[in-house]
Amino acid sequence: SAMAGVYIDANVLGKRLDEIHKAIWENKEDGFKEKGSGTMCDAVAIVTGKSTEDLRYMKSIALEMWLFAYELPETLLVVCKDRTVHVVTGKTKAKLISETKEAVEKMHKISLEVHVRAKGTSGEDLFEEVLSKVEKLSEGEAAALLGSLPKDKHEGVFFDTWNKSVGKRLEATTLKQTDVSLGFAKVLSVKSSDEQTNSKKAAFLSAQAMVKYVIPQLETIIDEEKNVKHSTLSSLIEDRILEPSKLEVRLKRDKVNACYAPIVQSGGKYDLKI
């Protein structure tokens, strides 16, 4: 199967879900509050859509990688203030996540509720179930506040159905929603010692690629007045990065991956936001 040999580290998952919980409900980080009112979220949602080959810079995908070490397409994660985390996903991914349930509960006192979406269904019944539980988290008469990542635009029925289910409740004013992108950016910016080591190695590899490959390539192209497409140069650079020994970097080839294709711009028009 596509998931053979794949497993999720329960300790990392539990520890990082706990970090999200602490940031919101212990440290009361501003990035998880409603603008204006300063009300703290009752729950936060991370949702992904269909898997595509496009390069996508999305917090939802970065968070999945951080929690699970994998991108999990068509998966919903709702972290609630009562230390429950609801997961809605397909059968194979649900099985993988369920295997961590006992350890996550035992080590980190977080209850993982895994809801399996049946093949060929939109997930609407499960979304309704999870949202009903979120609404019950609010104190007093106020509508529950759900934190979300509105800038992440995914594709597919699963993602669209989730947004419709949320939209219905926003209209009925039983639920409110707020953008928590800044809150999650702050959570992700704190790096463990392993992550710091990886960042240093990746930075060194990138610098070596620049010095040992990109600059000589560009000098040759300019000297010989060649016309080389940006996309061609980008894939040549990426191929070289994936072979560290050719850049005199002592990293195992199977440990190296590109988070995105090298971005090549020339001709006086530059977009640094890319």
Side-chain angles (χ1 to χ4, degrees):
S1 89
M3 289 293 202
V6 167
Y7 84 102
I8 290 164
D9 187 323
N11 189 30
V12 170
L13 175 60
K15 189 168 162 292
R16 290 180 175 176
L17 286 171
D18 187 48
E19 281 170 30
I20 292 172
H21 202 277
K22 274 202 181 91
I24 306 172
W25 294 291
E26 281 182 36
N27 303 344
K28 314 268 190 224
E29 292 286 357
D30 285 345
F32 292 103
K33 290 176 182 170
E34 186 181 35
K35 312 287 170 284
S37 75
T39 309
M40 187 53 73
C41 288
D42 294 300
V44 291
I46 300 160
V47 60
T48 52
K50 268 198 156 105
S51 178
T52 70
E53 284 304 304
D54 297 344
L55 288 169
R56 294 162 305 160
Y57 308 93
M58 294 193 190
K59 283 214 173 58
S60 49
I61 294 173
L63 283 159
E64 282 189 347
M65 298 288 288
W66 185 66
L67 291 166
F68 303 108
Y70 302 100
E71 181 183 336
L72 302 178
E74 300 198 306
T75 297
L76 167 73
L77 210 68
V78 179
V79 182
C80 301
K81 69 177 177 190
D82 64 0
R83 298 192 76 78
T84 306
V85 177
H86 293 280
V87 183
V88 177
T89 192
K91 189 176 155 197
T92 311
K93 287 168 283 191
K95 184 175 179 294
L96 262 181
I97 296 166
S98 295
E99 283 165 4
T100 68
K101 188 175 161 60
E102 209 175 304
V104 166
E105 174 95 62
K106 200 171 155 190
M107 291 191 283
H108 301 281
K109 308 283 180 285
I110 284 171
S111 167
L112 276 178
E113 303 286 330
V114 184
H115 310 263
V116 184
R117 176 170 73 108
K119 213 173 178 151
T121 64
S122 66
E124 187 177 4
D125 52 334
L126 302 173
F127 296 152
E128 291 302 322
E129 192 185 323
V130 171
L131 286 167
S132 296
K133 288 181 177 169
V134 169
E135 287 183 354
K136 292 194 179 85
L137 293 169
S138 79
E139 286 155 27
E141 295 298 302
L145 182 63
L146 178 68
S148 65
L149 298 165
K151 293 184 194 82
D152 285 18
K153 304 279 185 239
H154 290 275
E155 290 166 17
V157 174
F158 182 86
F159 181 72
D160 293 343
T161 307
W162 164 251
N163 285 328
K164 276 184 201 138
S165 295
V166 171
K168 250 185 359 201
R169 288 165 188 265
L170 295 176
E171 273 175 40
T173 66
T174 53
L175 188 70
K176 289 193 297 181
Q177 190 169 231
T178 190
D179 183 346
V180 291
S181 309
L182 289 176
F184 276 129
K186 194 158 182 190
V187 169
L188 287 171
S189 70
V190 181
K191 305 292 182 200
S192 68
S193 55
D194 284 354
E195 288 174 296
Q196 286 178 40
T197 302
N198 288 341
S199 295
K200 285 174 187 168
K201 287 177 179 174
F204 180 64
L205 178 59
S206 302
Q208 286 292 92
M210 195 73 179
V211 173
K212 298 250 191 284
Y213 188 74
V214 179
I215 293 171
Q217 280 288 322
L218 286 174
E219 285 171 344
T220 306
I221 290 165
I222 293 162
D223 290 347
E224 296 178 10
E225 295 184 0
K226 286 180 176 171
N227 267 331
V228 179
K229 280 182 162 179
H230 289 168
S231 56
T232 307
L233 188 54
S234 173
S235 59
L236 285 169
I237 298 165
E238 185 169 358
D239 289 347
R240 187 52 57 105
I241 287 170
L242 298 176
E243 294 207 41
S245 61
K246 288 192 177 173
L247 298 167
E248 296 168 39
V249 176
R250 288 166 61 188
L251 284 175
K252 288 198 175 103
R253 194 176 167 174
D254 62 353
K255 296 277 186 225
V256 174
N257 205 344
C259 55
Y260 50 82
I263 296 155
V264 181
Q265 301 178 9
S266 67
K269 283 187 180 171
Y270 309 111
D271 183 355
L272 299 181
K273 274 205 301 244
I274 300 175

